[in-house]
Amino acid sequence: MADFTVVVADPENGDSHQLDAEGQDANRFIGRSLGEEVEGSAVGLDGYTLELTGGSDTAGRPMRSDVRGAGTKAVLLDGGTGYEPSRDGERKRVTVRGGEISEETRQINAKIVDRGSQSVEELLGGDEE
């Protein structure tokens, strides 16, 4: 069974909250792709909708939405997620993970796209940072 750390960004005030998804709640994320929307109840945000924006696997490899599937792939990058060139025209072959969430994923990044009736602080108990 997979366990994930879900980092939820709140674009309204710039806060981010690190939450855990375990057991059945974690299974709601398996097979989803970056860009998809999921219910926030999986991480304790009832009534909220979250958009999956990124993540990383057990080895720290970043997920890229332009790489299909859940496996790793060595791709030639000239910038973007996973590689930042030091000069113009520089490219590098980098191993990244596909944009689908799998058992190998450890961190999922998401942002709030639709709000519920209660505030995030009320739902999380006010002690999260």
Side-chain angles (χ1 to χ4, degrees):
M1 188 135 341
D3 293 337
F4 302 118
T5 298
V6 182
V7 179
V8 179
D10 189 350
E12 197 169 274
N13 59 14
D15 289 345
S16 63
H17 304 277
Q18 189 168 332
L19 309 167
D20 291 323
E22 300 171 341
Q24 282 298 109
D25 292 333
N27 287 339
R28 294 184 194 183
F29 292 101
I30 300 281
R32 300 288 183 121
S33 297
L34 298 182
E36 284 188 38
E37 294 184 356
V38 295
E39 292 180 23
S41 59
V43 290
L45 296 173
D46 296 327
Y48 281 68
T49 303
L50 307 175
E51 179 184 342
L52 303 176
T53 58
S56 59
D57 67 1
T58 55
R61 292 182 207 96
M63 296 175 71
R64 285 185 61 106
S65 59
D66 56 351
V67 177
R68 293 191 336 187
T72 58
K73 187 163 180 107
V75 294
L76 189 62
L77 299 177
D78 60 1
T81 302
Y83 176 64
E84 186 168 332
S86 58
R87 62 181 189 269
D88 287 342
E90 185 177 24
R91 299 186 305 172
K92 186 176 180 182
R93 188 161 306 278
V94 178
T95 302
V96 295
R97 185 149 300 268
E100 185 177 314
I101 296 172
S102 69
E103 296 278 336
E104 289 294 312
T105 305
R106 283 300 160 253
Q107 178 179 321
I108 301 170
N109 302 329
K111 69 177 180 180
I112 297 172
V113 292
D114 194 23
R115 300 189 165 278
S117 58
Q118 292 181 291
S119 72
V120 175
E121 287 74 22
E122 289 175 14
L123 290 171
L124 299 179
D127 59 348
E128 295 288 324
E129 288 189 31

